[in-house]
């Protein structure tokens, strides 16, 4: 369980770092842009999703509740979709589009676009890994919850005045039932 939690923390650190890089690159790109275009601001909102995913990863590692694990998994998938959309919008920034319908490659490439593309591509990989690791966290949390239970019981009514209650002890203790 400890190795899985360490993996979640490491992935969350990468989520937050890549998110911060994306936001900074997006802010720089939007300040330098003469005209507002979607590719210049897409790293800002995609970076925001990356940061939220990282924060949820830290919360998931700290309190292994079903709700936080589900939120971390969902935000990992949403961040993956956001990163893919951001990559598509950033690709538009590599070309010039004229009003008469012609498209040609820019002579001077923006470094910010390439940095944002690398950050979004890396985030895609991190999000896929995070989704799988969060499933492992859910499985480990379920096993840990089962181990903490004191045992299960069932009630069997045999007659009007004859009620049978059987307790099953924890698998670590023994596998026999005790009648009360």
């Amino acid at each position: 369980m400890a190795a899985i939690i360490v993996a979640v923390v490491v992935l969350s650190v990468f989520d937050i770092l890549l998110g911060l890089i994306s936001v900074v690159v997006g802010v720089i790109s939007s300040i330098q842009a003469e005209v507002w275009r979607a590719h210049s601001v897409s790293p800002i909102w995609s970076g925001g999703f990356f940061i939220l995913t990282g924060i949820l990863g830290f919360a998931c590692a700290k309190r292994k509740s079903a709700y936080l694990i589900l939120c971390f998994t969902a935000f990992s998938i949403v961040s993956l979709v956001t990163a893919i959309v951001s990559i598509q919008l950033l690709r538009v920034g590599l070309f010039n589009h004229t009003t008469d319908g012609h498209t040609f490659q820019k002579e001077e490439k923006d470094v910010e676009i390439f940095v944002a593309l690398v950050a979004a591509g890396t985030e895609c990989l991190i999000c896929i890994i995070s989704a799988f690791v969060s499933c492992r966290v859910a499985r480990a949390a379920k096993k840990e919850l089962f181990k903490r239970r004191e045992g299960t019981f069932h009630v069997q009514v045999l007659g009007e005045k004859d009620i049978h209650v059987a307790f099953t002890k924890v698998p670590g203790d023994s596998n026999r039932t005790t009648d009360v």
Side-chain angles (χ1 to χ4, degrees):
M1 178 76 165
I4 297 171
I5 299 301
V6 169
V8 170
V9 170
V10 169
L11 290 169
S12 298
V13 167
F14 279 119
D15 279 331
I16 291 174
L17 288 177
L18 289 170
L20 289 173
I21 290 170
S22 293
V23 169
V24 168
V25 167
V27 168
I28 291 171
S29 178
S30 64
I31 288 172
Q32 291 179 350
E34 297 170 7
V35 178
W36 181 86
R37 300 224 172 130
H39 71 271
S40 61
V41 294
S42 70
I44 296 173
W45 54 265
S46 62
F49 275 101
F50 303 158
I51 292 169
L52 283 174
T53 303
I55 292 170
L56 282 170
F58 281 125
C60 176
K62 185 176 181 180
R63 299 185 56 213
K64 295 166 278 301
S65 71
Y67 178 73
L68 284 174
I69 295 169
L70 182 64
C71 285
F72 179 57
T73 306
F75 262 87
S76 293
I77 294 168
V78 169
S79 289
L80 174 64
V81 172
T82 305
I84 291 170
V85 170
S86 182
I87 288 171
Q88 295 304 319
L89 290 173
L90 288 166
R91 285 182 52 221
V92 171
L94 296 174
F95 299 96
N96 283 329
H97 305 281
T98 61
T99 55
D100 61 353
H102 290 85
T103 302
F104 56 92
Q105 196 170 7
K106 287 184 177 180
E107 293 175 13
E108 292 184 25
K109 307 280 192 280
D110 294 331
V111 176
E112 296 91 11
I113 291 177
F114 286 114
V115 171
L117 277 168
V118 168
T122 306
E123 186 62 31
C124 284
L125 180 65
I126 298 294
C127 286
I128 291 169
I129 295 169
S130 294
F132 285 115
V133 169
S134 65
C135 291
R136 296 281 304 197
V137 170
R139 182 176 175 208
K142 183 178 177 183
K143 283 184 178 181
E144 185 177 305
L145 180 66
F146 182 73
K147 286 180 182 178
R148 282 190 283 169
R149 290 186 183 160
E150 293 181 15
T152 58
F153 69 93
H154 67 275
V155 178
Q156 188 176 24
V157 179
L158 300 174
E160 243 181 76
K161 294 183 180 180
D162 195 16
I163 298 175
H164 178 76
V165 179
F167 291 91
T168 305
K169 295 193 178 198
V170 179
D173 295 340
S174 68
N175 288 334
R176 57 191 167 104
T177 61
T178 307
D179 294 331
V180 178

